[in-house]
Amino acid sequence: MESIIKNIEKEISAFTPTENTEETGIVRMVGDGIAEIDGLDKAILSEMVLFDPTFDRTLKEALSDPNPIYGLVLNLEEDCVRTVILGDASRIYEGMLVRRIGKLLSIATGDEMVGRVVNTLGEPVDGKGPISGTSMSSIERAAYGVIDRAPVNVPLHTGTKSVDAMIPIGRGQRELIIGDRGTGKTTIAIDTILNQKNEPKETRPICIYVAIGQKESKTAKLVAELTEKGAMEYTIVVTAPASAPAALLFLAPFAGATIGEHFMDKGKDALVIYDDLSKQAVAYRQMSLLLRRPPGREAYPGDIFYLHSRLLERAAKLSDEKGGGSLTALPIIETQEGDVSAYIPTNVISITDGQIFLQTDLFNKGMRPAIDVGISVSRVGSSAQTKAIKKVSGKIKLELAQFRELEAFMQFASDLDSETKQRIDNGRRMTEVLKQNRGEPLPFEMESAIIFAATNGYFDKFPPEETSVVEKKLQDYLRREAETVLKTIRKSKDISEDTEKSLREILDAFVTRHAPKTESDTNHK
């Protein structure tokens, strides 16, 4: 693959634009965002072409047009080439001149893009003026090979207790977020961006959020939220709204990956969120059918797997020789009625390093985030956890899975023995502890302390239904009384014996102060 791309780039670099008829063509037919072109005999796949309404100017003059319309060559046929139109297709007409410009599709990348909202072609759309200091990078690129990569072992904290404790994500990993519409997939992704504010500035990843086929009002609301909470200072938003042509929806994730690779190549960490790849797949299917490519399963083209694999393979943790940067990918896939065995979900599950599955039933029961711990998995596992979280989270996942089974049987049982009842109550408490409101990510040291309290029985003196309220009180109490302990955990990323002893003393004091008084306590007094 790498050698093929190098050969194409070599051929293109050798191409010098001239006014020969070989380098220009005529639009034979146009419709549905696709243009059929005669005359571009030497066109190359994934090359950009320029639609020019005039015949009497040079290529240089045509490229300086304030509103150029480009096309992307996707089909090389015997008697013509077919291109998708990257812009307003209504301006293209039969008989229009088309020019080769000798470039693979490239977009602007650079440090100056941080804090901005751009479209698929890297052009600013936030009304804050042009972006200076950018360079052009090819939107398609061969992924780094195995030799150039390092093991994924540095945590990417999401600030969501249930994810960091049970389904940890490492820098350079690809973790799929999957579930039905309206189950909180985007919430987990946005909370991950917000939580990076809790990370040290020097190791904070640059976050790229790619909105594919979303309503423009939803994207604007999201940008406003990120700005309000101070997260736009390390975030780039790439938007391809629902009103954009299918070609721009198909290319948007590649634009996000290209922008992220700019930071990875400089030795920095980057996080890219594709929201969502289901809409990209639909846009690619639409384009492929219009390009007359043969349909396969569910009418998707045969190379739909390659579309997603070549995108997600670009996520990597680079070796020290390559600068040690990383690109973490969080693709989002929307399922229908929880069907993870459909074509696109199974494709992306097989490409990624694990999945976070969100279930509608859990969401409707008030479990937020609605993560099904039975089917969710991280294939990197505890390698991507700090020692502190690794110590306290231990068997949470197993206990919760067993609790869900017991809960299912419980509705048929009229009488339960004390041991079973205790296990069910413990499961309920843990479920309540793992609940988290939208937009409230927690730093990992606070997560460690809360989960330590839950797994060591400090919530046992409170009724299960009051656990959420008690946990909020405990968070406030820890911020006031355990500042030194939390700082120690943050600095060492571990819970030493001395730290554990101090933490237990603080938790004991909290329970003594807030636990409801029992009859035996009153009699003892």
Side-chain angles (χ1 to χ4, degrees), residues 210-505:
V210 186
I212 310 158
Q214 309 288 346
K215 286 190 291 187
E216 289 181 77
S217 59
K218 181 184 173 183
T219 306
K221 190 177 174 184
L222 190 144
V223 171
E225 182 187 353
L226 292 174
T227 305
E228 182 191 337
K229 295 186 176 176
M232 276 306 283
E233 64 189 42
Y234 53 84
T235 303
I236 302 165
V237 175
V238 180
T239 177
S243 57
L248 296 182
L249 268 64
F250 143 66
L251 291 169
F254 292 98
T258 304
I259 293 167
E261 282 174 335
H262 165 80
F263 296 100
M264 176 173 71
D265 291 341
K266 291 176 72 175
K268 297 181 181 178
D269 294 319
L271 163 69
V272 61
I273 293 158
Y274 307 114
D275 190 7
D276 64 66
L277 292 187
S278 306
K279 292 187 177 72
Q280 186 210 17
V282 168
Y284 189 61
R285 174 171 64 182
Q286 177 187 325
M287 276 172 34
S288 297
L289 292 171
L290 291 167
L291 287 164
R292 303 284 189 269
R293 292 180 177 178
R297 179 177 164 186
E298 293 182 27
Y300 288 105
D303 64 342
I304 192 77
F305 181 90
Y306 178 56
L307 173 79
H308 287 149
S309 63
R310 76 175 190 263
L311 169 70
L312 294 169
E313 282 294 330
R314 288 163 75 170
K317 172 80 167 74
L318 297 185
S319 62
D320 291 339
E321 290 78 11
K322 285 286 180 179
S326 73
L327 180 65
T328 310
L330 293 183
I332 295 175
I333 288 286
E334 186 179 299
T335 54
Q336 307 290 329
E337 295 292 319
D339 182 15
V340 291
S341 63
Y343 188 31
I344 300 302
T346 49
N347 276 357
V348 182
I349 285 170
S350 65
I351 296 163
T352 50
D353 307 313
Q355 70 276 345
I356 298 168
F357 180 60
L358 302 174
Q359 204 178 53
T360 310
D361 290 347
L362 292 174
F363 186 86
N364 293 337
K365 283 179 187 175
M367 183 66 193
R368 314 284 165 83
I371 296 174
D372 183 335
V373 294
I375 197 172
S376 299
V377 66
S378 168
R379 297 192 184 105
V380 172
S382 59
S383 303
Q385 280 179 315
T386 56
K387 288 180 181 177
I389 290 184
K390 197 188 297 187
K391 277 182 180 176
V392 299
S393 60
K395 298 177 182 176
I396 293 180
K397 194 170 182 182
L398 180 63
E399 284 176 9
L400 274 181
Q402 289 174 341
F403 162 66
R404 295 268 156 80
E405 283 185 27
L406 278 174
E407 197 179 30
F409 284 114
M410 190 179 68
Q411 58 189 320
F412 304 111
S414 56
D415 190 26
L416 297 170
D417 61 85
S418 57
E419 188 184 340
T420 306
K421 189 174 185 307
Q422 181 66 32
R423 286 180 69 183
I424 287 170
D425 283 347
N426 288 343
R428 279 181 177 157
R429 287 189 186 96
M430 186 57 72
T431 301
E432 290 296 317
V433 165
L434 293 177
K435 283 184 181 179
Q436 206 161 333
N437 293 334
R438 182 180 183 277
E440 295 180 6
L442 294 174
F444 82 90
E445 64 270 20
M446 180 63 80
E447 290 179 327
S448 305
I450 295 292
I451 295 167
F452 178 86
T455 52
N456 284 277
Y458 286 98
F459 287 99
D460 290 0
K461 288 197 174 181
F462 303 92
E465 60 275 9
E466 289 181 17
T467 306
S468 289
V469 178
V470 174
E471 192 228 332
K472 286 279 182 285
K473 287 180 183 175
L474 177 57
Q475 283 185 33
D476 295 337
Y477 187 81
L478 288 170
R479 288 189 188 101
R480 287 195 317 270
E481 307 294 331
E483 191 178 346
T484 308
V485 173
L486 293 176
K487 277 184 179 175
T488 305
I489 296 172
R490 183 176 187 79
K491 191 175 179 181
S492 66
K493 295 182 169 53
D494 197 357
I495 299 178
S496 64
E497 285 185 20
D498 291 342
T499 306
E500 183 178 332
K501 186 180 176 185
S502 303
L503 185 57
R504 284 185 183 277
E505 286 171 3

Side-chain angles (χ1 to χ4, degrees), residues 49-67:
V49 293
L50 177 70
F51 293 95
D52 190 358
T54 62
F55 285 77
D56 56 354
R57 60 180 177 177
T58 64
L59 176 61
K60 190 175 181 181
E61 290 169 339
L63 287 169
S64 63
D65 192 299
N67 289 308

